[in-house]
Amino acid sequence: MEIIIPLILSGCGLVMISSLSLRNSMAGGNPYAAPLKQFQFIGLGITLMMLCLAWPSSSLRKNSGKLFALAFFLLVITAIPGIGIKVGGARRWLDLLVMRFQPLELALFAVPIFMADRLTDESSLQTRGDFQSFVRPTLAVIMMIGIPLMLQPNLGGTIIVTAICFVMHIERRGWKYPAWGVVLSVAAVAVLILAAPYRMRRFRAFWDPWSDPRNTGFQIIQGLVAFANGSLTGVGIGKGLQEEIYMPESDTDYIFPAIGEEFGLVGTMFLLIMYALWTWRVYRIYKDAKTPFTKSLALGLAASVIFPMFVNVAGVTKLMPLSGIPMPFLSSGGSSMIFMWAKVGLLMSIKAENKE
């Protein structure tokens, strides 16, 4: 089930990308270009999954620092003008000739591994107090990854990395400052929003998209209209009007409303049930893990898949401001798809070790 469910989700995403691509071909485009490219990304992801499946936890732990350093380096150079590719006002991509690569996805793969290694290093924990054990490694990792992400800028990615680190820290070392943590988190998000005009515009669009329906609120409104058009069972595959004409990014950030329009509430609930089943299966892997490292790693890997899903769904349903985070296994794009499958490979490796 841990592999079958991602296959189902990837297949659903491929169907939606094919639907959109076929309609775009009427304007003279290649109807097979986008789905074929996505199919190749799925194939690369499954290949990487097989490699990660054969990666023992001892070797993974030994190389966690190198993997984290590589992710940090790529995030830093992405923010440098002339190296990072700027799209839509954000510099989040690198050009690898064959594809655009988003280092955030490598970071979401490397951070759980590095955090699991550092959090289960009992020899260093014995020499630190409670607050020091939070500063190193949790706060240090959040700052090292969060600062280059904010320079891109990428608030959504920063929030996800922070959430992963907090969850892993609480699971392994507990949390003795609940009120302090909540106040600090809310204050940090408020400062980040108020400090940048473009974030304030996005927040206003989230709060009242109908105040500027043709500009800042356009995408949010069209996503909600897509859900309304889909009703219970949808308008039918290939018949969605919003994703064809009005809704931007319908194959990436807004693929969930696109599915909602064509397959209705039935389709969207089916996807959410798939994510819930996958989470339950991964929870079983987490509970059965034999070592503190693999237990913490399973939790971090699961969080790095589920948190982006929640952020994407909350953004397109107007539960939180839009963040530009793709839907795991569904959205068009190579970086997310490849590393999502790599995480599945590591989880299956932990499951195999549990049985041994």
Side-chain angles (χ1 to χ4, degrees):
M1 290 293 287
E2 294 86 356
I3 296 177
I4 294 175
I5 290 175
L7 275 174
I8 293 172
L9 293 171
S10 298
C12 292
L14 191 60
V15 168
M16 285 307 306
I17 293 167
S18 300
S19 173
L20 180 62
S21 179
L22 289 173
R23 290 199 301 275
N24 288 342
S25 68
M26 298 178 184
N30 184 348
Y32 306 108
L36 179 60
K37 191 173 184 179
Q38 185 71 358
F39 183 78
Q40 291 172 340
F41 288 145
I42 295 172
L44 287 173
I46 293 175
T47 301
L48 186 57
M49 179 200 71
M50 299 302 295
L51 295 175
C52 290
L53 181 59
W55 199 353
S57 61
S58 57
S59 175
L60 186 66
R61 185 169 191 175
K62 186 183 300 183
N63 293 282
S64 62
K66 298 175 183 177
L67 193 61
F68 179 81
L70 175 62
F72 173 72
F73 172 74
L74 293 179
L75 283 173
V76 170
I77 66 172
T78 302
I80 300 175
I83 298 179
I85 300 174
K86 192 172 185 179
V87 179
R91 204 180 304 275
R92 303 177 183 177
W93 292 267
L94 295 173
D95 188 0
L96 299 185
L97 299 181
V98 294
M99 63 175 286
R100 286 182 178 178
F101 175 71
Q102 189 172 16
L104 170 63
E105 299 299 337
L106 175 60
L108 294 178
F109 178 74
V111 165
I113 302 171
F114 183 74
M115 282 288 295
D117 174 46
R118 295 291 84 206
L119 287 172
T120 55
D121 184 7
E122 299 297 336
S123 60
S124 63
L125 180 60
Q126 294 173 358
T127 63
R128 302 176 191 164
D130 292 334
F131 185 71
Q132 287 178 315
S133 72
F134 169 68
V135 173
R136 296 173 58 191
T138 307
L139 185 59
V141 170
I142 292 172
M143 296 298 291
M144 288 184 68
I145 299 297
I147 290 175
L149 281 175
M150 292 307 299
L151 292 175
Q152 293 181 356
N154 192 339
L155 180 59
T158 306
I159 292 174
I160 290 173
V161 169
T162 302
I164 293 169
C165 292
F166 263 93
V167 166
M168 295 183 70
H169 179 91
I170 293 170
E171 184 272 341
R172 182 51 42 191
R173 297 183 178 178
W175 185 252
K176 298 183 179 181
Y177 317 99
W180 176 79
V182 172
V183 171
L184 182 61
S185 300
V186 172
V189 172
V191 169
L192 291 172
I193 291 175
L194 294 172
Y198 88 93
R199 291 196 191 99
M200 278 300 300
R201 290 194 298 269
R202 181 166 287 189
F203 180 78
R204 291 193 195 100
F206 154 73
W207 191 257
D208 186 11
W210 289 272
S211 63
D212 191 6
R214 295 187 178 182
N215 189 12
T216 57
F218 182 81
Q219 193 173 26
I220 297 176
I221 293 172
Q222 300 310 317
L224 296 176
V225 171
F227 284 121
N229 287 346
S231 188
L232 181 61
T233 57
V235 298
I237 185 169
K239 298 179 181 179
L241 179 64
Q242 293 301 113
E243 64 184 81
E244 180 180 6
I245 301 176
Y246 300 109
M247 192 165 62
E249 310 295 340
S250 58
D251 62 334
T252 53
D253 303 346
Y254 263 66
I255 195 168
F256 193 65
I259 293 173
E261 183 178 26
E262 294 199 354
F263 296 93
L265 180 63
V266 173
T268 54
M269 288 304 298
F270 170 77
L271 295 178
L272 294 179
I273 290 171
M274 289 293 102
Y275 283 113
L277 286 174
W278 186 83
T279 304
W280 174 70
R281 296 293 300 184
V282 174
Y283 174 75
R284 295 289 299 273
I285 296 175
Y286 160 78
K287 292 294 290 183
D288 294 339
K290 302 301 182 184
T291 67
F293 172 73
T294 54
K295 182 178 285 289
S296 185
L297 177 58
L299 177 67
L301 291 172
S304 69
V305 175
I306 298 304
F307 285 166
M309 184 274 291
F310 275 116
V311 169
N312 181 281
V313 172
V316 300
T317 55
K318 200 181 170 296
L319 295 177
M320 66 175 289
L322 295 174
S323 59
I325 299 297
M327 194 72 165
F329 299 109
L330 284 173
S331 294
S332 174
S335 303
S336 175
M337 182 65 71
I338 290 171
F339 283 104
M340 285 295 167
W341 277 104
K343 295 168 191 176
V344 173
L346 291 185
L347 287 167
M348 295 305 297
S349 176
I350 295 172
K351 182 178 180 180
E353 291 185 15
N354 294 346
K355 292 182 177 180
E356 293 176 1

